[in-house]
Amino acid sequence: MSGCTCPGVRRALALLALLGSLGGRGCWGSDPGSGELEGQGSRHPRGSWEAALRHKRSWVWNQFFVLEEYTGNEPLYVGKLHSDVDGGDGKVKYVLSGEGAASIFTIDENTGDIHATKRLDREAQAYYTLQAQAVDRVTNQPVEPRSEFVVKVQDINDNEPKFLDGPYMAGVPEMSPLGTMVVQVAATDADDPTYGNSARVIYSIIHGQPYFSVEPRTGIIRTALPNMDRETRDQYVLVIQAKDMVGQMGGLSGTTSVTVTLTDVNDNPPRFTHKNYQNTVLESLPVHSVVARVKAADADVGPNAEMDYRLMDGDYLGLFNISTDEETQEGVIVLLKPLDFETKSSFSLRIEATNRNIDSNFLSVGPFSDLAVVKLTVEDVNEPPVFSTPLLKMVVSEDARMGTSIGRVSAHDPDSTNSGIRYSIDRNTDLERFFNVDALSGVISTAKPLDREANSVHNLTLLAIESQDPTQIGKGIALITVLDINDNAPVFAIDYETLLCENAMPGQLIQTISAVDKDEPPSGHRFYFSLASPVAGNLNFTLRDNKDNTASILTKRGGFRRREQPVYRLPVLIVDSGSPALSSTNTLALRVCDCDADGVAMSCGAVAYTATGLSTGALLAILGCILTLLIMVLLIVTMRGRRKTPLILEEERDIRENIVRYDDEGGGEEDTEAFDMVALRNLNAMHADLGAALRGGGGGDPKARRDVTPDTPTFFRYPPPQQQASSGGSSRRPAVADVDPSAPPYDSLQTYAFEGSGSVAESLSSLESLSSDSEHSYDYLSNWGPRFKKLADLYGNGDAAAASSVSVFS
């Protein structure tokens, strides 16, 4: 787009602007009638204001239009402003303000020429409103009132048509007649629709012929061929062009795509791919199982391809059924009753498929249904035995004896082999084994006594097993009802708690009783009440049978006293109406109570008697004696609690080695007489007793012992090991060591009455060791084993620092 700068074009544009200015004031703000500008006055160059006067227009307009998209190197001339006040002497200055002033439009302040310095786009802004004013150059005061004018951007064809809603998706039914409307497209041109042909669009189809056409001015797309078949081709892609300048040469154009889909109509009837179908089925097929599936082909889709299947007339109508699988549109044949190869081994099913939604416009195509035959062949299988009566009902009396026959079941092998049958009971249905069944005859009999009150109906599952093939098992049900007999006596309906007021009057009703019976006689229960024989003629209470399975207990007298008798026990005899009749005696307890005036019990039971005949002093004496006894008991318990507990426990602390003392030669290991362990537990032995025993004084108890090191000072001094070594290295010990009470071991001392001869260690007596010049070797103790290791360390080692021995006294 370029603007013309030649003088001829400029003159033409100026002429158009001048004609426009004569047409009215709406664009420039001046009054065309008066030819003058209105204002409030102008300021005199000397500084004074004159009154507002009407004077002749002084503006001259040369140009009001400018071409868009001008690409020249020089600023584009727009027009010229001139005022009559301007005498050409340079005293008047022109000022421009408004939209784009200084940024887009500039004015020569001396000549009033206006230029556009930038490229303009009409589609961005179609016109600009500016204000012009002539001012005194010296005083900068207006010499003319401000006037407004419009610069309109002249349009050129610089925008192609555009399909704002494209690309398009549309659909049209198949088999539509010629000229059926598909969709309408619309293109928009951004150019000025009021100026020239820049925005006038013409439509045409570039791709999609000869199937579719488009109207040039409206953009409506129509079918160009009749009876287009979706099953042949279901989609078309059209390319539509929109061109401005009324489609003339040099116009700009735009395109869009239109995808046209042929929608389905029901113009194709269903057809079976085969007229005959073959299927096999096992006779053991469960009921409601699928036997076969068939499908009629239909070229249509969606609802137009939906169909219904049905079985035509035949002897198989009650045995089979067919329905439509809504997902696959298949005909599903289902078994309704069990098959029996021995009865019938094949079936021929005639099936009809019909369209569900038929279009009347296409009935001429042909019938919208089709027929096919499905032949079913039944295959024989080894079937389990079948009971002649799947559910057998039997009755048995409650008092039936063991082995009583109840009934008989019968089953047969449905196969041609006719195998033998053995019967049994599923013990999961007869856990307590009340019944038996004969394996060969099928006779059911009782195996245990029955109790109708515990279980009135027995539901047994009977098994029929083929003799040749035990895996073939048939099942049947036997419902055995136990008939009632009168074997339960009536009893009280509840445990009654009867209260009898002391102020009860004779003949007063105090209790109504009823009874229950576990039996269920056919005619219902009828109970008879009476008082048992021992109390039938008592003077306190009477019983009245109400003849409605209840009875009333009444008083015969008044004046009952709890103090005399707190509870009365009344035996009641209840007899039922069975055959034979059964009875029971039930005891009704009546508690005597203190009641208020309304007969509400306040307190019941026995009344404690008040003790009489004892004075207050006697009662105090009795209480004093009791208190004294309690104090004595507390003192005894306190004294016993202060008893000194033994330092050594009874049995837990008796874990020690026993070192005994001899009075004489004992029996050794053959001595089975137990010694007294009290001597080992006595911790109270005095030092003097032990010292006297050690010195031979005999003043102490020979059985006394100590568990601690003796306090008796030793009177003997042993030479140190070095001195012993220097004396010749003799291993014998000084004899005085045997009588040293402070030498270990000093744990225990025990006397023996005699010493036996059966010990392998022979005599351990050290009676002869008292001699000061006794020399004895104890080295053999090392050969007696670990039990004598301690003695061997004490007596057998000559290098010990402090040797000691056990002194034995007689």
Side-chain angles (χ1 to χ4, degrees):
M1 293 64 170
S2 61
C4 182
T5 60
C6 59
V9 174
R10 291 181 179 179
R11 285 194 294 271
L13 293 175
L15 180 60
L16 291 173
L18 182 59
L19 292 174
S21 64
L22 295 177
R25 185 184 173 186
C27 297
W28 297 274
S30 60
D31 187 355
S34 64
E36 296 177 349
L37 294 176
E38 293 183 354
Q40 294 182 357
S42 59
R43 190 172 183 180
H44 195 270
R46 293 189 297 269
S48 63
W49 288 93
E50 297 179 356
L53 299 174
R54 296 178 58 87
H55 52 80
K56 184 178 179 181
R57 174 189 294 274
S58 301
W59 290 101
V60 177
W61 307 100
N62 292 331
Q63 183 70 17
F64 301 97
F65 294 92
V66 61
L67 291 175
E68 68 171 333
E69 303 295 344
Y70 172 70
T71 58
N73 295 327
E74 296 295 331
L76 179 62
Y77 179 76
V78 177
K80 182 180 181 64
L81 297 179
H82 182 72
S83 175
D84 294 340
V85 179
D86 186 4
D89 53 2
K91 294 183 179 181
V92 176
K93 181 175 66 174
Y94 296 96
V95 179
L96 187 67
S97 62
E99 293 180 317
S103 61
I104 298 176
F105 301 100
T106 62
I107 188 171
D108 189 325
E109 62 179 15
N110 296 318
T111 64
D113 291 335
I114 301 174
H115 292 82
T117 61
K118 293 183 180 180
R119 293 177 59 181
L120 302 179
D121 185 4
R122 190 201 68 83
E123 287 71 36
Q125 187 166 346
Y127 60 89
Y128 296 84
T129 302
L130 300 171
Q131 293 83 32
Q133 192 170 29
V135 299
D136 186 275
R137 185 180 298 275
V138 177
T139 62
N140 207 29
Q141 294 296 324
V143 297
E144 292 285 351
R146 185 186 300 272
S147 182
E148 184 178 270
F149 66 95
V150 175
V151 177
K152 188 173 183 180
V153 182
Q154 186 68 45
D155 183 44
I156 64 173
N157 190 18
D158 60 342
N159 291 279
E160 72 277 4
K162 294 182 180 179
F163 292 92
L164 301 181
D165 297 330
Y168 293 86
M169 303 291 292
V172 62
E174 63 172 332
M175 310 303 289
S176 295
L178 178 67
T180 302
M181 177 180 173
V182 179
V183 69
Q184 183 177 12
V185 297
T188 302
D189 196 318
D191 293 325
D192 189 359
T194 64
Y195 179 74
N197 296 323
S198 299
R200 298 179 63 184
V201 178
I202 296 297
Y203 300 95
S204 62
I205 184 167
I206 297 177
H207 181 73
Q209 296 175 335
Y211 307 102
F212 299 93
S213 63
V214 61
E215 294 182 359
R217 295 187 179 278
T218 62
I220 297 176
I221 301 174
R222 300 181 183 275
T223 58
L225 291 178
N227 301 326
M228 287 188 291
D229 191 5
R230 186 200 65 83
E231 288 73 32
T232 303
R233 182 178 177 182
D234 62 347
Q235 193 173 82
Y236 299 84
V237 179
L238 313 182
V239 178
I240 305 298
Q241 182 188 68
K243 189 174 183 180
D244 58 13
M245 300 298 292
V246 201
Q248 297 179 3
M249 185 72 67
L252 303 179
S253 64
T255 60
T256 188
S257 64
V258 180
T259 302
V260 180
T261 302
L262 297 183
T263 58
D264 186 53
V265 297
N266 192 7
D267 58 340
N268 294 280
R271 292 292 181 263
F272 284 104
T273 56
H274 303 284
K275 292 299 181 182
N276 293 281
Y277 296 87
Q278 296 283 341
N279 285 83
T280 59
V281 59
L282 297 176
E283 69 167 332
S284 60
L285 186 70
V287 175
H288 302 301
S289 298
V290 176
V291 176
R293 286 175 175 263
V294 295
K295 184 176 182 180
D298 193 329
D300 298 321
V301 294
N304 297 319
E306 295 178 356
M307 60 190 71
D308 295 320
Y309 296 88
R310 71 184 185 95
L311 294 175
M312 307 299 287
D313 294 339
D315 58 353
Y316 46 76
L317 290 181
L319 192 59
F320 301 96
N321 187 33
I322 188 170
S323 60
T324 303
D325 188 332
E326 297 299 335
E327 293 184 0
T328 62
Q329 293 301 313
E330 292 179 313
V332 182
I333 303 174
V334 178
L335 182 65
L336 297 181
K337 294 181 180 180
L339 297 173
D340 187 6
F341 172 82
E342 289 74 22
T343 303
K344 190 170 184 178
S345 59
S346 65
F347 299 89
S348 293
L349 310 181
R350 294 177 64 243
I351 299 174
E352 180 185 50
T354 305
N355 267 143
R356 189 175 297 170
N357 304 304
I358 299 176
D359 192 339
S360 59
N361 295 324
F362 300 97
L363 291 178
S364 59
V365 178
F368 284 81
S369 62
D370 197 17
L371 293 174
V373 176
V374 178
K375 186 174 182 180
L376 297 177
T377 301
V378 182
E379 292 185 354
D380 188 24
V381 295
N382 189 10
E383 302 173 85
V386 178
F387 282 89
S388 56
T389 304
L391 178 60
L392 188 63
K393 296 183 179 180
M394 303 178 182
V395 295
V396 61
S397 178
E398 184 179 6
D399 61 347
R401 296 183 179 182
M402 293 175 53
T404 300
S405 176
I406 303 174
R408 182 177 181 275
V409 295
S410 175
H412 68 280
D413 184 6
D415 299 319
S416 58
T417 57
N418 196 17
S419 175
I421 305 298
R422 296 183 63 84
Y423 302 95
S424 65
I425 297 176
D426 185 354
R427 289 304 176 182
N428 290 325
T429 61
D430 186 25
L431 296 176
E432 298 185 20
R433 296 180 177 268
F434 284 108
F435 304 95
N436 287 329
V437 60
D438 189 274
L440 298 178
S441 65
V443 174
I444 300 176
S445 59
T446 59
K448 293 173 64 175
L450 303 176
D451 185 3
R452 189 205 63 84
E453 287 72 33
N455 192 355
S456 60
V457 177
H458 296 266
N459 189 343
L460 305 182
T461 299
L462 301 173
L463 306 178
I465 306 171
E466 283 191 15
S467 300
Q468 297 180 0
D469 185 4
T471 60
Q472 298 298 324
I473 302 174
K475 294 185 178 181
I477 303 296
L479 290 178
I480 302 177
T481 302
V482 181
L483 300 179
D484 186 38
I485 63 170
N486 191 22
D487 58 344
N488 291 277
V491 295
F492 277 157
I494 59 173
D495 292 332
Y496 292 100
E497 183 179 359
T498 304
L499 303 180
L500 174 62
C501 291
E502 289 182 321
N503 57 1
M505 303 300 294
Q508 181 175 336
L509 174 65
I510 57 175
Q511 184 68 62
T512 300
I513 59 176
S514 61
V516 293
D517 193 331
K518 294 182 179 180
D519 297 320
E520 292 183 359
S523 58
H525 289 291
R526 177 67 179 93
F527 302 122
Y528 303 94
F529 299 88
S530 62
L531 294 179
S533 299
V535 297
N538 74 90
L539 302 177
N540 298 318
F541 307 98
T542 184
L543 183 146
R544 183 180 65 202
D545 194 336
N546 297 325
K547 308 301 182 181
D548 58 355
N549 292 339
T550 64
S552 300
I553 306 299
L554 308 172
T555 58
K556 280 188 175 182
R557 66 176 180 87
F560 294 95
R561 295 291 180 267
R562 288 185 295 161
R563 190 183 309 278
E564 299 174 357
Q565 185 172 348
V567 178
Y568 292 87
R569 301 190 182 277
L570 192 64
V572 179
L573 178 65
I574 308 175
V575 183
D576 61 18
S577 59
S579 179
L582 297 180
S583 64
S584 68
T585 300
N586 301 263
T587 301
L588 181 65
L590 297 94
R591 299 173 59 193
V592 181
C593 302
D594 180 21
C595 301
D596 59 10
D598 296 329
V600 178
M602 304 299 293
S603 61
C604 301
V607 179
Y609 288 93
T610 304
T612 58
L614 292 177
S615 63
T616 304
L619 292 176
L620 292 176
I622 293 174
L623 292 176
C625 293
I626 294 174
L627 183 60
T628 303
L629 290 176
L630 289 176
I631 293 174
M632 293 178 64
V633 170
L634 290 176
L635 289 175
I636 293 173
V637 171
T638 304
M639 295 293 293
R640 295 190 63 180
R642 292 182 179 180
R643 291 183 59 186
K644 193 172 184 180
T645 57
L647 296 179
I648 300 179
L649 300 180
E650 293 296 316
E651 296 182 359
E652 290 82 1
R653 311 253 330 245
D654 287 339
I655 302 174
R656 60 175 58 84
E657 296 180 359
N658 294 327
I659 302 176
V660 299
R661 54 185 270 185
Y662 291 81
D663 286 333
D664 56 359
E665 295 290 330
E669 293 181 357
E670 295 180 352
D671 185 5
T672 59
E673 294 183 8
F675 55 84
D676 188 5
M677 290 296 294
V678 176
L680 298 179
R681 301 191 186 114
N682 187 2
L683 301 180
N684 298 320
M686 301 301 295
H687 299 285
D689 294 340
L690 181 58
L694 293 174
R695 294 190 297 269
D701 186 357
K703 295 183 180 181
R705 58 155 292 187
R706 280 179 68 85
D707 251 358
V708 296
T709 304
D711 295 333
T712 305
T714 177
F715 300 100
F716 307 97
R717 297 290 182 266
Y718 306 113
Q722 294 81 1
Q723 296 179 5
Q724 294 180 7
S726 64
S727 63
S730 175
S731 60
R732 67 183 182 90
R733 306 207 182 272
V736 292
D738 293 338
V739 295
D740 187 356
S742 64
Y746 42 74
D747 284 6
S748 302
L749 298 177
Q750 181 64 40
T751 61
Y752 281 80
F754 63 94
E755 184 175 352
S757 60
S759 175
V760 295
E762 299 180 353
S763 176
L764 298 179
S765 175
S766 58
L767 296 177
E768 298 178 354
S769 64
L770 295 176
S771 176
S772 61
D773 57 350
S774 173
E775 294 184 2
H776 189 75
S777 176
Y778 297 98
D779 292 338
Y780 60 87
L781 294 175
S782 301
N783 300 326
W784 286 5
R787 293 187 179 182
F788 295 90
K789 184 175 182 301
K790 186 66 177 177
L791 292 176
D793 292 342
L794 294 174
Y795 292 93
N797 187 1
D799 297 333
S804 61
S805 64
V806 178
S807 299
V808 182
F809 304 92
S810 58

